[in-house]
Amino acid sequence: MDVRVAGHQVDTGESLREHAQRRVADITQKYFSRSVGANVTFGRGPNNDFTCDIVAPVANGVVLKASHNAREPDLAFNGAADRIEKQLRRYTNRLKEHKVDESAQDVVDNAAYTILSPAPEEAQAADAPAIVAETRVDIPEASVSDAVMLMDLRNTSALLFKNSATGDFNMVYRREDGNIGWVEPRSN
């Protein structure tokens, strides 16, 4: 497994680098041996504390991310590594316990959304919000419960997916109240 350790305005000593590489490799071997690599980045926080960010792509577009702040770099790393371990443990448990729920595949009649046509270019306001980032991603084919799991593992607020039960494109998203919303196109 390829574990890259870097420091932004922080000197990562050899012992910290070896500890990070060994711990991330041990975690991924324990829970998910198919992981190919991880990036561990140390930096300085706003209160002169240390931050550690870990990004570990595991499979099929699933990317685990964790961050932690602490007074010492090894404590920051251990906090972030604990979070990655918890995410991997949950992910592997969900994969082991995965059962197809027949009731979850029923279509809700009042679940629909409307795609509005874009406004003509001359009618758009000059102060329209700027597009910060565009990313090309693969759209996974999954059940609704698997899509919710992927959304949680990718640390995103929404996920577009192809519903394996219907073949239609659906979306799950985290609502402001903390619940999960599911958008499914209306059948004509």
Side-chain angles (χ1 to χ4, degrees), residues 29-187:
Q29 274 191 326
K30 181 177 180 181
Y31 293 104
F32 203 79
S33 61
R34 293 178 285 185
S35 181
V36 293
N39 292 322
V40 180
T41 307
F42 291 95
R44 285 286 190 178
N47 297 329
N48 208 22
D49 55 351
F50 292 92
T51 62
C52 179
D53 298 313
I54 301 174
V55 178
V58 285
N60 298 334
V62 176
V63 178
L64 301 178
K65 297 178 184 177
S67 182
H68 192 75
N69 296 336
R71 294 268 178 215
E72 298 293 326
D74 56 336
L75 295 176
F77 168 74
N78 287 333
D82 290 344
R83 290 181 182 170
I84 288 286
E85 186 171 11
K86 185 176 182 180
Q87 289 176 0
L88 273 173
R89 184 174 52 248
R90 285 182 178 169
Y91 179 60
T92 55
N93 288 341
R94 284 184 181 176
L95 289 177
K96 289 176 186 174
E97 297 171 359
H98 177 69
K99 295 178 185 173
V100 176
D101 182 11
E102 296 298 326
S103 64
Q105 295 181 4
D106 293 338
V107 176
V108 179
D109 287 336
N110 63 357
Y113 65 92
T114 305
I115 299 174
L116 301 175
S117 61
E121 290 210 20
E122 61 271 357
Q124 289 182 354
D127 60 343
I131 298 172
V132 175
E134 291 185 23
T135 307
R136 296 184 77 135
V137 295
D138 294 326
I139 298 174
E141 185 169 340
S143 67
V144 176
S145 60
D146 286 346
V148 171
M149 178 181 63
L150 286 170
M151 181 181 69
D152 287 341
L153 288 171
R154 291 180 178 182
N155 288 327
T156 60
S157 57
L159 177 73
L160 177 68
F161 68 101
K162 187 173 183 179
N163 192 326
S164 59
T166 63
D168 291 333
F169 289 102
N170 290 189
M171 184 177 72
V172 290
Y173 62 97
R174 186 160 312 279
R175 297 167 31 125
E176 288 184 18
D177 61 5
N179 293 320
I180 302 295
W182 171 24
V183 179
E184 184 172 27
R186 183 181 303 269
S187 299

Side-chain angles (χ1 to χ4, degrees), residues 17-37:
R17 183 174 293 131
E18 288 175 3
H19 173 65
Q21 290 171 340
R22 185 175 49 254
R23 173 103 192 262
V24 171
D26 289 346
I27 289 170
T28 54
Q29 274 191 326
K30 181 177 180 181
Y31 293 104
F32 203 79
S33 61
R34 293 178 285 185
S35 181
V36 293

